[in-house]
Amino acid sequence: MTEAMENELLQELQQKIGYTFRNPKLLRQALTHSSYANEGKKHGRNNERLEFLGDSVLSVIVAKHLFLTYKDIPEGELTKLRASLVCEKALDVFADQLDLGKYLLLGKGEELTGGRQRPSILADAFEAVIAAMYLDGGYEIAQKFVLGFIPRDLDIHKATPLADYKTALQEIIQQNREEKIEYVMVEEKGPDHAKIFTAEVLLNSNVIGRGEGSSKKQAEQNAAREALRLMGYDL
């Protein structure tokens, strides 16, 4: 990826998150995986230290939000709810909403093995972005960013408040052991830095949903969402 392409992607991401960095190098570092940084000294620092800080900032923001919003909920329930919002699965969903994988700087090996869709990498990068915003703009900026991903209609009796359409569809299909679903990429278009993927979800070889996305994971989630909608489930 050329420097011009990197700068273009950084600008695009800043538009998505609604914040312009005074120090864009912080955002670039937040998106730099260790595999990329290790390919040569010219690539600079990776996002691991920022991920460490972002984890703590995220926890404080979510804890404060839950404490002030759900005033009659006991500590034990608040703890479970917070855990559900800061775990890898939740952060992967948040990152997917931003299509964060598109903006990552990955080493060649990580790129070839699907690093842009790997939940652990996306979750760490999301936390690193939080830290970058915190360092660049302060707590209020980071808080506004994080709370934009927290659903307003949290089910306080469940520890899984986030929409994961693939999991939801799988749980429904598994009720009948004879049924089987699979996801197939049927189309890939656009330049390398701005690809659009199209996925279909098949039930026993029959197409039951189709979706597009700027990552394979996002396309599969959208295909599952369409399948659920066509099956009559309220999304």
Side-chain angles (χ1 to χ4, degrees), residues 58 62 82 84-101 122-123 126-127 130 145-151 154 161-163 218:
L58 171 66
V62 172
R82 180 185 61 183
S84 76
L85 292 168
V86 301
C87 67
E88 181 180 295
K89 179 181 178 181
L91 300 186
D92 180 38
V93 173
F94 297 159
D96 202 44
Q97 291 176 20
L98 279 178
D99 192 17
L100 196 59
L122 290 169
F126 188 83
E127 289 181 327
I130 293 171
F145 172 70
V146 170
L147 295 185
F149 293 91
I150 307 300
L154 285 175
L162 300 170
Q218 189 177 54

Side-chain angles (χ1 to χ4, degrees), residues 59-78:
S59 184
V60 170
I61 291 172
V62 172
K64 178 183 176 182
H65 171 71
L66 296 177
F67 180 81
L68 295 177
T69 303
Y70 302 102
K71 297 181 179 180
D72 298 324
I73 303 302
E75 179 268 343
E77 293 301 315
L78 290 176

Side-chain angles (χ1 to χ4, degrees), residues 133-200:
M133 296 181 74
Y134 171 73
L135 292 173
D136 193 78
Y139 178 84
E140 297 298 328
I141 293 295
Q143 178 179 248
K144 181 179 179 181
F145 172 70
V146 170
L147 295 185
F149 293 91
I150 307 300
R152 294 183 179 180
D153 55 345
L154 285 175
D155 186 340
I156 60 175
H157 301 295
K158 295 182 179 180
T160 56
L162 300 170
D164 182 344
Y165 301 112
K166 288 180 66 176
T167 298
L169 181 60
Q170 183 69 35
E171 289 176 349
I172 292 169
I173 300 302
Q174 283 180 340
Q175 294 176 14
N176 188 336
R177 296 183 179 181
E178 297 179 358
E179 306 286 359
K180 179 182 179 182
I181 60 172
E182 63 177 322
Y183 294 85
V184 178
M185 288 297 145
V186 295
E187 188 176 7
E188 181 179 322
K189 57 187 177 183
D192 288 342
H193 67 285
K195 282 190 178 298
I196 297 295
F197 299 90
T198 302
E200 290 181 344

